[in-house]
Amino acid sequence: MSILPNILFALILIAGIGYFAKNVKKLIRNIKLGHDVDVSDNTSQRWQNMTRIALGQSKMVRRPIAGFLHIIVYVGFVIINIEVLEIIIDGLFGTHRIFSAMGGFYGFLIGSFEILALLVFVSVIIFWIRRNIIKLKRFWKSEMKGWPKSDGNIILYFEMILMTLFLVMNATDVHFQAMNNGNVISQFIAPLFSNMSEGTLHIIERGAWWLHIVGILIFLNYLYFSKHLHILLAFPNTYYGKVKPKGQLDNLEAVTKEVKMMMDPDADPFAAPAEDESGTDDVAKFGASDVQDLNWVQLLNAYTCTECGRCTDECPANQTGKKLSPRKIMMDTRDRLEEVGKNIDANNGEFKDDGKQLLGDYITNEELWACTSCNACVQACPVSIDPLSIIIDMRRYLVMEQSAAPAELNNMMTNIENNGAPWPYNQMDRLNWKDE
Amino acid sequence: MSELLKVPTMAEYMAQGKQPDVLFWVGCAGSFDDRAKKITKAFVKLLNKAKVDFAVLGTEESCTGDPAKRAGNEFLFQMQAVTNIEVLNAYEVKKIVTACPHCFNTIKNEYPELGGHYEVMHHTQFLKSLLDEGKLTIEGGQYKGKRITFHDPCYLGRANNVYEAPRDLIQKLEAELVEMKNCKSKGLCCGAGGAQMFKDAEKGDKEVNVERTEQAIEVKPDIIAAGCPFCNTMMTDGVKAKDKEAEVDVMDIAELIANAQDL
Ligand code: SF4
Ligand code: SF4
């Protein structure tokens, strides 16, 4: 027996996994471009969130139809991957259906895979119809043109093809059909091939088998370039997601230091600024104008975004026709981060100023100022993404670094500064209501 | 009527060497906005009726810094916060109640890291606890059988998961509580948060408050109940924009309860 196919298989496998590993490394490097943030708190709450939200898909079912279908595809994906294990062993060692030695249990396993494959196939078709025929509003917003739109469909085609190949592979496997155990779905497909010779069947079976495994490897490598990365990142992302009350924004530490200095009557106003304990020499920049100013959880968020648009769907600003879309905020952040990553790759590991930044080139001030900080997007996100934190960090940059707030907000802030209220009333009149 | 209001200040308490049970944080809207002042008074009437031992800071109170923080001015926010915390800590305040969800959120969640640790309650939670302790009774009064819908303030609901206290109070009025299509964690913002109250909205098809008011009007309420002075303004404006002032009132829950008892 020729060992050539086994070698070929091993090479394809190594190439597929190798390229994937390379991209994962890049992914981690890019995420680490964000500055550090302490997420060592609340570990038990974090594990709970991950189990409930990522593993248990608890937030998906808030929209019952999409939620139910998604759970099928998710469970199908996880379970059918057990089959991949067999494929890999067979491929490397030239065996055929090595697990079939398990007998009846094997039949049970493959039988459930086949049923799942069919369910996944049907769900994916419904997903496709929702996107392309019913044209669900959230998949047709302005940020969903071009790549994001095709990406969504490509994934669906991929799954359709993979599921079909799996079933065809089973249906044309003469030995498997002869076992008459577990071919619950494929037995109905088998008649399609009934008048073919055993040789032809074998070729089709082998063809489907190879395409199936190669397809899976391509799919694996496609992830990095796709919103589908969420199938991996949803887990760390829900773990590192916000555990504080949604209304609680972080208190910028750099500001706390300065405020304490200003308020401390003993502080020497002419003293050199205190040595930065973190050892980094970048002068504290307030807020964010580019991806490097965000923290790594925010960048992880950007890579995790599934572009489902649930956030945008519930955003009051978006609902009333304003330019803001929290999904776009996340997509922009990811696009810019990718651009920065490529820049670093092209310049031997060093970022060369490209005259662009997240603020202005991707996200406009108008979008940022439209946010009511209502947290609807944070609540809606099925994978614990916090678009609001990025919006606030960018507002901070606009206000504290550029003094670029809308004039009315400047008025409001001046009033607070002078009168202790956002309106031009005298603080001494605060209790007047009592006697009015 | 106003001579009936008893509103002691912390300074007065201090002068007598006493400490009130709770500090009523009035907030900027509650102090200066004509509509919100009525809410403040209604709440004080209830506090007086329940004989709650409370005080206000009066002229020593200052903006919590919420709109500044959400507009991105972390500096101004922290200056306000640190100043307020100094005052509160000097009076050894332990418990705070406020009728403004923005003050509530900021003092409860953002002050602790800056050195201000207090037990903070929204006035609906506080009223509910007075009720549970039997210090306050609620009668249906003029609101018996009325259709009331509750608009969840983002900073009370989603931001802090307080959904039930205001609803419990409305039900105590023997009113019919009707929910809008977006309620509780799916509630729609009134459009005022994140410092939007202080500026014109960005260009769009519609104002957020109008959209929200339409959702409210859809359930044909007699009253839209709010638990936030900013929501109150936004919904009142929305009702005006829809020419429904004659049919629909916008009221704070404290006002509903105070009115029901003819306070
Ligand atoms: S927090 Fe801002 S971006 Fe998020 S839903 Fe509300 S208005 Fe939209
Ligand atoms: S941020 Fe969350 S809700 Fe919004 S599109 Fe991305 S995954 Fe969906």
Side-chain angles (χ1 to χ4, degrees), chain A residues 222-272:
Chain A
Y222 178 74
L223 293 185
Y224 179 79
F225 306 94
S226 155
K227 76 186 191 85
H228 224 50
L229 200 48
H230 78 268
I231 63 175
L232 301 175
L233 295 188
F235 294 88
N237 200 71
T238 46
Y239 181 86
Y240 292 119
K242 190 168 185 175
V243 282
K244 293 181 174 147
K246 286 193 194 63
Q248 178 178 354
L249 303 182
D250 61 335
N251 294 321
L252 273 189
E253 239 172 272
V255 172
T256 312
K257 274 188 209 151
E258 298 218 9
V259 169
K260 284 219 175 101
M261 286 251 296
M262 285 166 74
M263 308 283 281
D264 181 1
D266 303 327
D268 173 5
F270 302 109

Side-chain angles (χ1 to χ4, degrees), chain B residues 43-58:
Chain B
F43 183 56
V44 167
K45 284 178 198 163
L46 292 170
L47 291 177
N48 285 164
K49 168 125 195 268
K51 303 203 166 53
V52 174
D53 182 22
F54 79 101
V56 298
L57 282 173

